[in-house]
Amino acid sequence: MLALEDARYAQATGGDAFRAWLAAFNHPEARPARSGDIDGRVEAAVALAAMGYVAPARLLLAENPDIVPPALALLVAETAEGREDTALLAALAGRLGGHCDRRYAFPAALQGAGRDAVAAWVAARAGVLRKACPA
Amino acid sequence: MSAIYRRAARFDRETLADDLILMNPDSRAVVVLNATAQLVWDALAEGASLDDLVAVFAAAGADAASVRADVAATLDRLVEAGLAVRGP
């Protein structure tokens, strides 16, 4: 999908990455054609969450709570802004220890991780995000 | 006389679910407006003062005193992002 390539290029070269990721997320071909198909919006949702816009990640989670990357991205973004979503953290830890959609890659260190381990991972990544994007 | 707010000459817009996403093509500043805040943006097409906007929300049943700060904050965000201009 060209929109996804454009977004990756904009991200890598200092272009208007927000706009490009938004276009990639909204691209008609990004949405799964049939139930159960790979969702091409996941990468864009994660990238937008890292820029502080979490609505796409929330939307994907509402449609498929078994996808791990948007949940992680959402938790990191919220933690970076000083917010805490204990319900999502608990739900994610539950999925990492049980059923989740493994077609979407997530850090191997989180495989089977419990709530505290996930919280520590999220806090560390939120610290990196805060340093990269100070308020 | 109250200042009149208007949309800037250049802006891009996208929608995502209930959000209206406004982008400044020059500075790349982004403002995300929820469904309520979009009423402010709609009104800026013709130009409106803070008092005008508060009156719109009050007419819809909102408490004018409490909505004033929210509307002012939305206007400030839009002006700061270069998506709206404040004039006489």
Side-chain angles (χ1 to χ4, degrees):
Chain A
M1 190 174 69
L2 188 57
L4 201 52
E5 297 299 327
D6 285 347
R8 289 173 184 155
Y9 184 77
Q11 181 89 54
T13 57
D16 193 348
F18 183 92
R19 180 195 306 267
W21 284 119
L22 194 59
F25 186 90
N26 277 338
H27 195 283
E29 290 177 17
R31 184 182 287 270
R34 292 177 301 272
S35 176
D37 283 356
I38 288 284
D39 194 323
R41 299 171 296 174
V42 169
E43 184 179 352
V46 169
L48 289 165
M51 295 176 187
Y53 184 45
V54 298
R58 281 193 194 287
L59 199 136
L60 291 192
L61 278 179
E63 291 180 7
N64 183 357
D66 290 338
I67 304 180
V68 170
L72 283 173
L74 183 51
L75 284 169
V76 169
E78 291 193 330
T79 303
E81 291 185 0
R83 294 196 301 273
E84 195 177 6
D85 190 338
T86 53
L88 179 58
L89 181 61
L92 178 59
R95 286 194 171 79
L96 289 167
H99 175 75
C100 61
D101 193 332
R102 295 177 193 280
R103 295 176 301 169
Y104 303 92
F106 58 85
L110 294 177
Q111 179 76 43
R115 188 186 180 287
D116 291 346
V118 177
W121 188 92
V122 166
R125 302 296 293 186
V128 171
L129 196 59
R130 268 195 299 268
K131 283 181 188 163
C133 310
Chain B
M1 196 170 88
S2 298
I4 300 294
Y5 294 85
R6 290 184 175 81
R7 294 179 182 179
R10 278 166 52 81
F11 62 87
D12 292 325
R13 58 184 293 163
E14 279 277 354
T15 56
L16 199 157
D18 293 334
D19 289 344
L20 173 65
I21 302 148
L22 299 168
M23 295 169 281
N24 182 325
D26 301 315
S27 68
R28 298 183 188 169
V30 175
V31 173
V32 180
L33 300 179
N34 62 23
T36 306
Q38 285 170 39
L39 295 176
V40 174
W41 179 250
D42 291 344
L44 297 196
E46 301 295 328
S49 68
L50 176 58
D51 290 338
D52 294 335
L53 291 163
V54 171
V56 168
F57 284 96
D63 175 60
S66 64
V67 85
R68 191 174 192 84
D70 291 339
V71 172
T74 299
L75 289 170
D76 286 347
R77 284 168 56 212
L78 290 168
V79 170
E80 189 179 336
L83 294 162
V85 292
R86 184 177 187 270

